[in-house]
PDB file of all heavy atoms in Angstrom:
ATOM      1  N   PRO K 245    -127.683-121.410  67.861  1.00 95.00           N
ATOM      2  CA  PRO K 245    -128.175-122.779  67.534  1.00 95.00           C
ATOM      3  C   PRO K 245    -127.151-123.783  67.051  1.00 95.00           C
ATOM      4  O   PRO K 245    -127.289-124.934  67.091  1.00 95.00           O
ATOM      5  CB  PRO K 245    -129.215-122.596  66.623  1.00 95.00           C
ATOM      6  CG  PRO K 245    -128.927-121.243  65.906  1.00 95.00           C
ATOM      7  CD  PRO K 245    -128.219-120.354  67.047  1.00 95.00           C
ATOM      8  N   VAL K 246    -125.973-123.261  66.646  1.00 95.00           N
ATOM      9  CA  VAL K 246    -124.915-124.063  66.143  1.00 95.00           C
ATOM     10  C   VAL K 246    -123.871-124.299  67.133  1.00 95.00           C
ATOM     11  O   VAL K 246    -123.400-125.470  67.425  1.00 95.00           O
ATOM     12  CB  VAL K 246    -124.258-123.612  64.765  1.00 95.00           C
ATOM     13  CG1 VAL K 246    -123.105-124.454  64.299  1.00 95.00           C
ATOM     14  CG2 VAL K 246    -125.387-123.405  63.758  1.00 95.00           C
ATOM     15  N   THR K 247    -123.291-123.288  67.632  1.00 95.00           N
ATOM     16  CA  THR K 247    -122.108-123.308  68.568  1.00 95.00           C
ATOM     17  C   THR K 247    -122.588-123.483  70.064  1.00 95.00           C
ATOM     18  O   THR K 247    -121.839-123.856  71.063  1.00 95.00           O
ATOM     19  CB  THR K 247    -121.339-122.157  68.492  1.00 95.00           C
ATOM     20  OG1 THR K 247    -121.987-120.940  68.917  1.00 95.00           O
ATOM     21  CG2 THR K 247    -120.726-121.987  67.009  1.00 95.00           C
ATOM     22  N   GLY K 248    -123.783-122.969  70.520  1.00 96.00           N
ATOM     23  CA  GLY K 248    -124.339-123.029  71.859  1.00 96.00           C
ATOM     24  C   GLY K 248    -123.932-121.724  72.680  1.00 96.00           C
ATOM     25  O   GLY K 248    -124.366-121.662  73.795  1.00 96.00           O
ATOM     26  N   GLU K 249    -123.140-120.827  72.044  1.00 97.00           N
ATOM     27  CA  GLU K 249    -122.738-119.757  72.960  1.00 97.00           C
ATOM     28  C   GLU K 249    -123.812-118.644  72.966  1.00 97.00           C
ATOM     29  O   GLU K 249    -124.726-118.690  72.152  1.00 97.00           O
ATOM     30  CB  GLU K 249    -121.407-119.105  72.273  1.00 97.00           C
ATOM     31  CG  GLU K 249    -121.673-118.451  70.912  1.00 97.00           C
ATOM     32  CD  GLU K 249    -120.464-117.846  70.439  1.00 97.00           C
ATOM     33  OE1 GLU K 249    -119.932-116.963  71.140  1.00 97.00           O
ATOM     34  OE2 GLU K 249    -120.071-118.144  69.225  1.00 97.00           O
ATOM     35  N   PRO K 250    -123.814-117.902  74.086  1.00 97.00           N
ATOM     36  CA  PRO K 250    -124.910-116.917  74.208  1.00 97.00           C
ATOM     37  C   PRO K 250    -124.699-115.710  73.195  1.00 97.00           C
ATOM     38  O   PRO K 250    -123.535-115.410  72.952  1.00 97.00           O
ATOM     39  CB  PRO K 250    -124.705-116.502  75.705  1.00 97.00           C
ATOM     40  CG  PRO K 250    -123.407-116.735  76.071  1.00 97.00           C
ATOM     41  CD  PRO K 250    -123.012-117.913  75.296  1.00 97.00           C
ATOM     42  N   THR K 251    -125.833-115.287  72.702  1.00 98.00           N
ATOM     43  CA  THR K 251    -125.809-114.116  71.762  1.00 98.00           C
ATOM     44  C   THR K 251    -126.850-113.232  72.151  1.00 98.00           C
ATOM     45  O   THR K 251    -127.803-113.468  72.877  1.00 98.00           O
ATOM     46  CB  THR K 251    -126.048-114.691  70.284  1.00 98.00           C
ATOM     47  OG1 THR K 251    -127.388-115.199  70.256  1.00 98.00           O
ATOM     48  CG2 THR K 251    -125.044-115.766  69.922  1.00 98.00           C
ATOM     49  N   ILE K 252    -126.723-111.961  71.480  1.00 98.00           N
ATOM     50  CA  ILE K 252    -127.752-110.924  71.759  1.00 98.00           C
ATOM     51  C   ILE K 252    -128.631-110.925  70.456  1.00 98.00           C
ATOM     52  O   ILE K 252    -128.084-110.687  69.323  1.00 98.00           O
ATOM     53  CB  ILE K 252    -127.170-109.548  71.881  1.00 98.00           C
ATOM     54  CG1 ILE K 252    -126.379-109.579  73.266  1.00 98.00           C
ATOM     55  CG2 ILE K 252    -128.251-108.405  72.062  1.00 98.00           C
ATOM     56  CD1 ILE K 252    -125.584-108.339  73.563  1.00 98.00           C
ATOM     57  N   ARG K 253    -129.905-111.026  70.554  1.00 97.00           N
ATOM     58  CA  ARG K 253    -130.885-110.916  69.475  1.00 97.00           C
ATOM     59  C   ARG K 253    -131.619-109.622  69.449  1.00 97.00           C
ATOM     60  O   ARG K 253    -132.612-109.431  70.045  1.00 97.00           O
ATOM     61  CB  ARG K 253    -131.864-112.197  69.533  1.00 97.00           C
ATOM     62  CG  ARG K 253    -132.705-112.218  68.294  1.00 97.00           C
ATOM     63  CD  ARG K 253    -132.115-112.651  67.014  1.00 97.00           C
ATOM     64  NE  ARG K 253    -132.032-114.087  67.094  1.00 97.00           N
ATOM     65  CZ  ARG K 253    -131.081-114.820  66.417  1.00 97.00           C
ATOM     66  NH1 ARG K 253    -130.102-114.145  65.753  1.00 97.00           N
ATOM     67  NH2 ARG K 253    -131.077-116.041  66.354  1.00 97.00           N
ATOM     68  N   PHE K 254    -130.933-108.645  68.762  1.00 97.00           N
ATOM     69  CA  PHE K 254    -131.384-107.294  68.903  1.00 97.00           C
ATOM     70  C   PHE K 254    -131.382-106.513  67.410  1.00 97.00           C
ATOM     71  O   PHE K 254    -130.459-106.810  66.644  1.00 97.00           O
ATOM     72  CB  PHE K 254    -130.588-106.431  69.892  1.00 97.00           C
ATOM     73  CG  PHE K 254    -130.881-105.020  69.832  1.00 97.00           C
ATOM     74  CD1 PHE K 254    -132.251-104.584  70.379  1.00 97.00           C
ATOM     75  CD2 PHE K 254    -130.010-104.006  69.401  1.00 97.00           C
ATOM     76  CE1 PHE K 254    -132.390-103.159  70.334  1.00 97.00           C
ATOM     77  CE2 PHE K 254    -130.309-102.665  69.554  1.00 97.00           C
ATOM     78  CZ  PHE K 254    -131.460-102.327  69.944  1.00 97.00           C
ATOM     79  N   ALA K 255    -132.509-105.839  67.127  1.00 96.00           N
ATOM     80  CA  ALA K 255    -132.418-104.985  65.872  1.00 96.00           C
ATOM     81  C   ALA K 255    -132.750-103.540  66.337  1.00 96.00           C
ATOM     82  O   ALA K 255    -133.762-103.318  67.132  1.00 96.00           O
ATOM     83  CB  ALA K 255    -133.463-105.536  64.953  1.00 96.00           C
ATOM     84  N   GLU K 256    -132.098-102.735  65.787  1.00 96.00           N
ATOM     85  CA  GLU K 256    -132.413-101.253  66.140  1.00 96.00           C
ATOM     86  C   GLU K 256    -133.679-100.780  65.399  1.00 96.00           C
ATOM     87  O   GLU K 256    -134.117-101.255  64.357  1.00 96.00           O
ATOM     88  CB  GLU K 256    -131.162-100.366  65.631  1.00 96.00           C
ATOM     89  CG  GLU K 256    -129.935-100.610  66.421  1.00 96.00           C
ATOM     90  CD  GLU K 256    -128.933 -99.641  65.945  1.00 96.00           C
ATOM     91  OE1 GLU K 256    -128.233 -99.973  64.857  1.00 96.00           O
ATOM     92  OE2 GLU K 256    -128.694 -98.594  66.482  1.00 96.00           O
ATOM     93  N   PRO K 257    -134.376 -99.773  65.991  1.00 94.00           N
ATOM     94  CA  PRO K 257    -135.515 -99.263  65.373  1.00 94.00           C
ATOM     95  C   PRO K 257    -135.097 -98.650  63.969  1.00 94.00           C
ATOM     96  O   PRO K 257    -134.043 -98.098  63.698  1.00 94.00           O
ATOM     97  CB  PRO K 257    -135.985 -98.157  66.306  1.00 94.00           C
ATOM     98  CG  PRO K 257    -135.363 -98.422  67.640  1.00 94.00           C
ATOM     99  CD  PRO K 257    -134.025 -99.196  67.320  1.00 94.00           C
ATOM    100  N   VAL K 258    -136.062 -98.563  63.090  1.00 90.00           N
ATOM    101  CA  VAL K 258    -135.817 -98.091  61.722  1.00 90.00           C
ATOM    102  C   VAL K 258    -136.809 -96.905  61.572  1.00 90.00           C
ATOM    103  O   VAL K 258    -138.023 -97.004  61.644  1.00 90.00           O
ATOM    104  CB  VAL K 258    -136.012 -99.159  60.552  1.00 90.00           C
ATOM    105  CG1 VAL K 258    -135.792 -98.426  59.264  1.00 90.00           C
ATOM    106  CG2 VAL K 258    -135.067-100.264  60.768  1.00 90.00           C
ATOM    107  N   HIS K 259    -136.328 -95.753  61.220  1.00 88.00           N
ATOM    108  CA  HIS K 259    -137.084 -94.575  60.949  1.00 88.00           C
ATOM    109  C   HIS K 259    -136.782 -94.064  59.531  1.00 88.00           C
ATOM    110  O   HIS K 259    -136.222 -93.107  59.223  1.00 88.00           O
ATOM    111  CB  HIS K 259    -136.634 -93.392  61.987  1.00 88.00           C
ATOM    112  CG  HIS K 259    -136.657 -93.841  63.437  1.00 88.00           C
ATOM    113  ND1 HIS K 259    -137.890 -94.139  64.038  1.00 88.00           N
ATOM    114  CD2 HIS K 259    -135.553 -94.075  64.250  1.00 88.00           C
ATOM    115  CE1 HIS K 259    -137.610 -94.421  65.259  1.00 88.00           C
ATOM    116  NE2 HIS K 259    -136.206 -94.463  65.395  1.00 88.00           N
ATOM    117  N   ASP K 260    -137.310 -94.933  58.598  1.00 84.00           N
ATOM    118  CA  ASP K 260    -136.988 -94.703  57.137  1.00 84.00           C
ATOM    119  C   ASP K 260    -138.064 -95.384  56.404  1.00 84.00           C
ATOM    120  O   ASP K 260    -139.123 -95.598  57.010  1.00 84.00           O
ATOM    121  CB  ASP K 260    -135.654 -95.254  56.803  1.00 84.00           C
ATOM    122  CG  ASP K 260    -134.977 -94.660  55.571  1.00 84.00           C
ATOM    123  OD1 ASP K 260    -135.824 -94.129  54.747  1.00 84.00           O
ATOM    124  OD2 ASP K 260    -133.770 -94.715  55.343  1.00 84.00           O
ATOM    125  N   LEU K 261    -137.915 -95.631  55.125  1.00 83.00           N
ATOM    126  CA  LEU K 261    -138.856 -96.315  54.356  1.00 83.00           C
ATOM    127  C   LEU K 261    -139.085 -97.632  55.079  1.00 83.00           C
ATOM    128  O   LEU K 261    -138.111 -98.374  55.379  1.00 83.00           O
ATOM    129  CB  LEU K 261    -138.363 -96.530  52.969  1.00 83.00           C
ATOM    130  CG  LEU K 261    -138.367 -95.369  51.916  1.00 83.00           C
ATOM    131  CD1 LEU K 261    -137.718 -95.875  50.594  1.00 83.00           C
ATOM    132  CD2 LEU K 261    -139.723 -94.756  51.659  1.00 83.00           C
ATOM    133  N   ASN K 262    -140.383 -98.068  55.015  1.00 83.00           N
ATOM    134  CA  ASN K 262    -140.616 -99.317  55.726  1.00 83.00           C
ATOM    135  C   ASN K 262    -140.069 -99.457  57.142  1.00 83.00           C
ATOM    136  O   ASN K 262    -139.315-100.249  57.551  1.00 83.00           O
ATOM    137  CB  ASN K 262    -140.171-100.434  54.789  1.00 83.00           C
ATOM    138  CG  ASN K 262    -140.901-101.774  54.967  1.00 83.00           C
ATOM    139  OD1 ASN K 262    -140.456-102.759  54.306  1.00 83.00           O
ATOM    140  ND2 ASN K 262    -141.929-101.856  55.773  1.00 83.00           N
ATOM    141  N   PRO K 263    -140.666 -98.568  58.086  1.00 90.00           N
ATOM    142  CA  PRO K 263    -140.058 -98.320  59.417  1.00 90.00           C
ATOM    143  C   PRO K 263    -140.298 -99.622  60.287  1.00 90.00           C
ATOM    144  O   PRO K 263    -141.137-100.492  59.962  1.00 90.00           O
ATOM    145  CB  PRO K 263    -140.867 -97.267  60.057  1.00 90.00           C
ATOM    146  CG  PRO K 263    -141.674 -96.636  58.996  1.00 90.00           C
ATOM    147  CD  PRO K 263    -141.684 -97.650  57.815  1.00 90.00           C
ATOM    148  N   VAL K 264    -139.435 -99.901  61.200  1.00 92.00           N
ATOM    149  CA  VAL K 264    -139.501-101.045  62.122  1.00 92.00           C
ATOM    150  C   VAL K 264    -139.463-100.407  63.550  1.00 92.00           C
ATOM    151  O   VAL K 264    -138.739 -99.582  64.008  1.00 92.00           O
ATOM    152  CB  VAL K 264    -138.216-101.960  61.979  1.00 92.00           C
ATOM    153  CG1 VAL K 264    -138.296-103.043  63.060  1.00 92.00           C
ATOM    154  CG2 VAL K 264    -138.064-102.374  60.647  1.00 92.00           C
ATOM    155  N   THR K 265    -140.621-100.788  64.283  1.00 95.00           N
ATOM    156  CA  THR K 265    -140.678-100.245  65.652  1.00 95.00           C
ATOM    157  C   THR K 265    -140.188-101.412  66.637  1.00 95.00           C
ATOM    158  O   THR K 265    -140.268-102.543  66.305  1.00 95.00           O
ATOM    159  CB  THR K 265    -142.109 -99.913  66.049  1.00 95.00           C
ATOM    160  OG1 THR K 265    -142.935-101.151  65.864  1.00 95.00           O
ATOM    161  CG2 THR K 265    -142.725 -98.921  65.046  1.00 95.00           C
ATOM    162  N   VAL K 266    -139.591-100.976  67.761  1.00 96.00           N
ATOM    163  CA  VAL K 266    -138.990-101.926  68.629  1.00 96.00           C
ATOM    164  C   VAL K 266    -139.761-101.530  70.080  1.00 96.00           C
ATOM    165  O   VAL K 266    -139.621-100.401  70.546  1.00 96.00           O
ATOM    166  CB  VAL K 266    -137.555-101.786  68.808  1.00 96.00           C
ATOM    167  CG1 VAL K 266    -137.014-102.720  69.786  1.00 96.00           C
ATOM    168  CG2 VAL K 266    -136.861-102.001  67.463  1.00 96.00           C
ATOM    169  N   GLU K 267    -140.220-102.577  70.692  1.00 97.00           N
ATOM    170  CA  GLU K 267    -140.907-102.251  72.009  1.00 97.00           C
ATOM    171  C   GLU K 267    -140.332-103.433  73.005  1.00 97.00           C
ATOM    172  O   GLU K 267    -140.232-104.607  72.824  1.00 97.00           O
ATOM    173  CB  GLU K 267    -142.434-102.635  71.862  1.00 97.00           C
ATOM    174  CG  GLU K 267    -143.246-102.593  73.155  1.00 97.00           C
ATOM    175  CD  GLU K 267    -144.627-103.080  72.976  1.00 97.00           C
ATOM    176  OE1 GLU K 267    -145.058-103.421  71.775  1.00 97.00           O
ATOM    177  OE2 GLU K 267    -145.428-102.981  73.984  1.00 97.00           O
ATOM    178  N   VAL K 268    -139.878-102.912  74.085  1.00 97.00           N
ATOM    179  CA  VAL K 268    -139.466-103.806  75.231  1.00 97.00           C
ATOM    180  C   VAL K 268    -140.751-104.012  76.103  1.00 97.00           C
ATOM    181  O   VAL K 268    -141.379-103.187  76.683  1.00 97.00           O
ATOM    182  CB  VAL K 268    -138.335-103.133  76.063  1.00 97.00           C
ATOM    183  CG1 VAL K 268    -137.846-104.063  77.253  1.00 97.00           C
ATOM    184  CG2 VAL K 268    -137.220-102.699  75.217  1.00 97.00           C
ATOM    185  N   LEU K 269    -141.120-105.271  76.112  1.00 97.00           N
ATOM    186  CA  LEU K 269    -142.264-105.739  76.928  1.00 97.00           C
ATOM    187  C   LEU K 269    -142.127-105.539  78.262  1.00 97.00           C
ATOM    188  O   LEU K 269    -141.025-105.684  78.882  1.00 97.00           O
ATOM    189  CB  LEU K 269    -142.577-107.302  76.605  1.00 97.00           C
ATOM    190  CG  LEU K 269    -142.824-107.569  75.086  1.00 97.00           C
ATOM    191  CD1 LEU K 269    -143.251-108.965  74.909  1.00 97.00           C
ATOM    192  CD2 LEU K 269    -143.765-106.655  74.418  1.00 97.00           C
ATOM    193  N   ASP K 270    -143.173-105.250  79.033  1.00 96.00           N
ATOM    194  CA  ASP K 270    -143.349-105.134  80.422  1.00 96.00           C
ATOM    195  C   ASP K 270    -142.205-104.050  80.932  1.00 96.00           C
ATOM    196  O   ASP K 270    -141.631-104.229  82.011  1.00 96.00           O
ATOM    197  CB  ASP K 270    -143.052-106.450  81.133  1.00 96.00           C
ATOM    198  CG  ASP K 270    -144.063-107.559  80.776  1.00 96.00           C
ATOM    199  OD1 ASP K 270    -145.228-107.092  80.655  1.00 96.00           O
ATOM    200  OD2 ASP K 270    -143.619-108.666  80.567  1.00 96.00           O
TER     201      ASP K 270
END
Side-chain angles (χ1 to χ4, degrees):
V246 177
T247 66
E249 66 179 305
T251 67
I252 300 174
R253 182 73 81 211
F254 174 65
E256 294 183 278
V258 175
H259 309 289
D260 202 335
L261 288 176
N262 209 177
V264 178
T265 63
V266 182
E267 175 189 1
V268 182
L269 301 187
D270 301 320

